Amino acid sequence: MKQLIKLNINNIDYEVSVNDNDLLVDVIRRRIGLTGTKKGCGEGSCGTCTVLIDGKRALACLTLAMSCQEKKVLTIEGMEKNGELHPIQEAFVEKGAIQCGFCTPGMVLSAKALLDQNPKPSVEEIKYGMSGNLCRCTGYVKIVEAIESAAKTMAAPKQGRK
Ligand code: FES
Ligand code: FES
């Protein structure tokens, strides 16, 4: 049976009619039209569907949309502010950490959750923190480098940087 629910996504309130078993990834992509969140395996293995729910990493392919009422969902579309990329996004571009880009939205959101919790992670901590996100295109060296670079940028005084 369909129910009208309220979802807060990227600080915007949406009202959507959903079934009890509708998945967050499908509601975000098909109903709300935010297609930056990707659906890869659809079974919790690849991390492409990663979003943040109340600041914590979540797999949108394993999350019921219904369970996200009264919570704040952040998708890749919410990372840029006033037309400027988030430092993590900039670092991914600058370090060449994006190939096909399919895994990138989930990578960026996992990196945000990691750096919000641990602003100065070691390489091992970055690897561990990103271990739920798979990239099929290449190795992970550039992704780790991008996150290290973003951590430095985010730790720097805000003056003079975006
Ligand atoms: S699509 Fe959700 S983990 Fe792969
Ligand atoms: S950039 Fe292609 S899967 Fe990661």
Side-chain angles (χ1 to χ4, degrees), residues 98-104 134-137:
I98 48 176
Q99 301 290 322
C100 74
F102 199 81
C103 68
T104 308
L134 305 182
C135 176
R136 298 155 185 82
C137 301

Side-chain angles (χ1 to χ4, degrees), residues 46-57:
C46 72
T48 63
C49 65
T50 301
V51 296
L52 302 193
I53 299 177
D54 286 345
K56 297 203 173 90
R57 282 167 83 182

